[in-house]
Amino acid sequence: MAHKKGQGSSRNGRDSNAQRLGIKVYGGQAVRAGGIIVRQHGTRYHPGRNVGIGRDDTLFALSDGVVMFDREGRRVNVVPKPAGV
């Protein structure tokens, strides 16, 4: 019989938590002012009209409206909803 445990169990067992990155509100969906649209590292997506960028590159809505993507899906805009909708 071995006098030492196998080394696998004590050396493993550390893993980082998921970052939950990605698009949170897709094109055509409504968003409120201050709502997060995209969580990202770096500027995969760029802010357009009525979209702000946070210190951690998060894109968020500056006004209520509908999310629209342009520039081949790489720029995010928030366009106001038409009245009566």
Side-chain angles (χ1 to χ4, degrees):
M1 298 291 286
H3 291 290
K4 293 198 175 194
K5 280 187 178 180
Q7 292 299 311
S9 61
S10 62
R11 290 191 181 178
N12 297 334
R14 289 175 301 281
D15 198 5
S16 58
N17 295 325
Q19 297 292 317
R20 277 95 173 171
L21 301 177
I23 299 174
K24 306 301 179 185
V25 181
Y26 290 91
Q29 291 184 314
V31 67
R32 303 284 302 269
I36 293 175
I37 303 169
V38 180
R39 296 256 299 124
Q40 61 183 351
H41 288 160
T43 50
R44 270 176 78 102
Y45 300 94
H46 292 270
R49 189 169 299 198
N50 293 323
V51 176
I53 188 164
R55 200 173 45 109
D56 61 351
D57 295 316
T58 295
L59 300 185
F60 58 91
L62 295 173
S63 64
D64 294 356
V66 177
V67 174
M68 295 290 171
F69 288 83
D70 63 2
R71 285 240 184 113
E72 296 176 356
R74 293 298 185 184
R75 184 169 63 184
V76 185
N77 301 295
V78 173
V79 295
K81 264 196 227 179
V85 173

